[in-house]
Amino acid sequence: MDILVKGGVLADGTAADIAITGDRITAVAPNIDAEAREIVSAQGKLITQPFVDAHFHMDATLSYGRPRVNRSGTLLEGIALWGALKREQTRKEIVGRALDYCRQAVGKGILAIRSHVDVTDASFATVEALLEVRDRVKDVLDLQLVAFPQDGWYRALGGEDQVIRALDAGVDVVGGIPHFERTMAEGAASVRAACELAAERGLRVDLHCDESDDPLSRHIETLAAETIRCGLQGRVAGSHLTSMHSMDNYYVAKLLPLIAEAEVAAIPNPLINITLQGRMDSYPKRRGMTRVPELRAAGVTVAFGQDCVRDPWYPLGSGDMLDVAHMGLHVGLMTAPDDMRAAFDMVTARPAEIMGLEFGLAPGRLGSLVVLDASDPIDALRLRPARLCVISRGRIVSRTEPAAWTPDVRF
Ligand code: FE2
């Protein structure tokens, strides 16, 4: 075998060694006694399948302050700033920033990212840049790209044609932004068009859906119905879904089973939406995250995404999915032990499921895993500790020393 990870602990508390040969896991058992090219000592440390970010914008990342900072903190000012930036940035700059971010993300144990890419940039530099990045990182990091018409499927001139052009160029997933179209009717029409296009081409769908505090923004209902009509069950995700926070409870009681029936996944983005939403409220201010515990209880697959790291919408972010889950469990009031464990799954196993990845700590799965300087998932969420060792497809791609803390104080 090539790598043997010795003495680790799995998320459920069982002790395990993990053997990797080539790019696959070949054994997971308590005491594997065999020769290996490389031994990774994980004594008592948590071994997890990789972190996965199911919602990101890599064409905008690390551009904070260009052309200026977002003073209102709103989605709409962010979109306006991005509009200005995309007219001036070059393909080379986008590639450089994206690769910088990918290095940081791998160091934090992220081995797959679904990134939306704005296809309404007339120069198409964003799409060309991220296709190049996808190719350059592919041996380590799975980058899935979504054809995202930021300025609207119909509202942007030629928006639909640009989505098709991006898919023709090799972008993986059909995107959309129905709440940003001119009217509710055009938003619903864009959802229908996106689902039909995905069905025609055998692709997945991931829409920015109802990223609004408006309780009447109900495009998720159309998305679920169109998913069923087009036979796309299990291949569709609704990202953000923040309007659900403000919807009438009676309506939501009908909506949740429909989302579950359609097997539409939900991808809330707690770091960004706790800052973008509720901006027009006085007090009390709404939390602006979708109804995570209720979606889970209805049987919907839910993953937390990061959305932004230092870009026109969000000034912070570090590529650490444990920060994302930490914020998500706070906003969702998910502090029961099972809920916290679920929050950990929502940045590892659940997004991998949504993206159709072969991660998982079992024989036959990809030889990709992370050793954390923590004993279990709850401790990992509490401490957000060093990723001691990151292995991607049978290759060690990052090591971090545990934090040394030597307080010079006596009590
Ligand atoms: Fe987004």
Side-chain angles (χ1 to χ4, degrees), residues 55 57 208 240 307:
H55 190 110
H57 293 263
H208 281 66
H240 296 290
D307 206 7

Side-chain angles (χ1 to χ4, degrees), residues 55-57 116 148 150 208 211 239-240 269 272 307-308:
H55 190 110
F56 197 64
H57 293 263
H116 295 253
F148 174 48
Q150 172 74 75
H208 281 66
E211 190 177 5
S239 282
H240 296 290
N269 298 283
I272 185 77
D307 206 7
C308 304

Side-chain angles (χ1 to χ4, degrees), residues 276-343:
L276 287 183
Q277 309 314 129
R279 286 273 173 179
M280 292 166 78
D281 293 355
S282 58
Y283 286 92
K285 289 183 192 291
R286 283 167 288 182
R287 285 162 179 253
M289 186 170 80
T290 195
R291 303 189 188 198
V292 173
E294 292 78 7
L295 281 160
R296 290 191 58 248
V300 176
T301 301
V302 187
F304 285 133
Q306 185 174 215
D307 206 7
C308 304
V309 169
R310 293 189 55 75
D311 68 10
W313 294 272
Y314 188 57
L316 302 170
S318 65
D320 189 344
M321 294 309 292
L322 287 172
D323 278 347
V324 176
H326 189 262
M327 177 62 81
L329 79 86
H330 279 82
V331 178
L333 306 177
M334 296 168 61
T335 47
D338 284 354
D339 285 344
M340 289 193 282
R341 287 176 180 277

Side-chain angles (χ1 to χ4, degrees), residues 114 194-196 198-200 202-206 222-238 257-266 299-301 353-356:
R114 175 180 278 181
C195 289
E196 285 174 2
E200 257 170 53
L203 300 176
R204 293 170 191 268
V205 176
D206 188 337
T222 307
L223 181 60
E226 288 300 311
T227 296
I228 295 168
R229 186 179 69 85
C230 294
L232 292 169
Q233 292 92 333
R235 284 160 49 193
V236 175
L258 175 65
I259 299 171
E261 181 194 348
E263 297 172 45
V264 169
V300 176
T301 301
E353 207 176 285
I354 292 169
M355 289 175 63

Side-chain angles (χ1 to χ4, degrees), residues 96-373:
R97 291 198 315 256
L99 291 177
D100 276 353
Y101 177 74
C102 287
R103 275 186 286 273
Q104 293 174 31
V106 168
K108 296 285 189 182
I110 296 178
L111 293 182
I113 298 173
R114 175 180 278 181
S115 175
H116 295 253
V117 48
D118 184 1
V119 300
T120 55
D121 162 25
S123 77
F124 225 48
T126 48
V127 175
E128 286 167 356
L130 289 201
L131 286 169
E132 179 184 337
V133 171
R134 184 180 69 182
D135 192 54
R136 285 174 67 171
V137 302
K138 69 177 186 301
D139 292 340
V140 174
L141 178 67
D142 231 312
L143 180 55
Q144 201 174 75
L145 300 178
V146 185
F148 174 48
Q150 172 74 75
D151 298 337
W153 188 286
Y154 294 121
R155 190 169 169 178
L157 193 65
E160 183 174 42
D161 292 342
Q162 290 287 89
V163 170
I164 292 168
R165 185 179 165 200
L167 297 174
D168 287 344
V171 169
D172 308 281
V173 178
V174 182
I177 185 164
H179 57 276
F180 192 68
E181 302 294 343
R182 288 189 180 88
T183 63
M184 289 290 179
E186 287 192 354
S190 77
V191 174
R192 264 193 301 282
C195 289
E196 285 174 2
L197 189 56
E200 257 170 53
R201 295 182 176 228
L203 300 176
R204 293 170 191 268
V205 176
D206 188 337
L207 304 187
H208 281 66
C209 195
D210 304 325
E211 190 177 5
S212 160
D213 289 327
D214 174 6
L216 295 179
S217 186
R218 295 176 170 185
H219 296 294
I220 179 58
E221 181 187 74
T222 307
L223 181 60
E226 288 300 311
T227 296
I228 295 168
R229 186 179 69 85
C230 294
L232 292 169
Q233 292 92 333
R235 284 160 49 193
V236 175
S239 282
H240 296 290
L241 305 176
T242 53
S243 73
M244 200 186 295
H245 186 94
S246 302
M247 285 174 183
D248 171 70
N249 290 333
Y250 188 89
Y251 174 71
V252 173
K254 177 178 174 244
L255 178 63
L256 290 174
L258 175 65
I259 299 171
E261 181 194 348
E263 297 172 45
V264 169
I267 308 176
N269 298 283
L271 287 174
I272 185 77
N273 285 126
I274 202 64
T275 67
L276 287 183
Q277 309 314 129
R279 286 273 173 179
M280 292 166 78
D281 293 355
S282 58
Y283 286 92
K285 289 183 192 291
R286 283 167 288 182
R287 285 162 179 253
M289 186 170 80
T290 195
R291 303 189 188 198
V292 173
E294 292 78 7
L295 281 160
R296 290 191 58 248
V300 176
T301 301
V302 187
F304 285 133
Q306 185 174 215
D307 206 7
C308 304
V309 169
R310 293 189 55 75
D311 68 10
W313 294 272
Y314 188 57
L316 302 170
S318 65
D320 189 344
M321 294 309 292
L322 287 172
D323 278 347
V324 176
H326 189 262
M327 177 62 81
L329 79 86
H330 279 82
V331 178
L333 306 177
M334 296 168 61
T335 47
D338 284 354
D339 285 344
M340 289 193 282
R341 287 176 180 277
F344 188 86
D345 284 348
M346 287 165 62
V347 291
T348 51
R350 299 288 85 77
E353 207 176 285
I354 292 169
M355 289 175 63
L357 306 172
E358 287 186 272
F359 291 152
L361 300 182
R365 294 301 185 121
L366 279 176
S368 300
L369 57 83
V370 179
V371 182
L372 284 155
D373 190 13

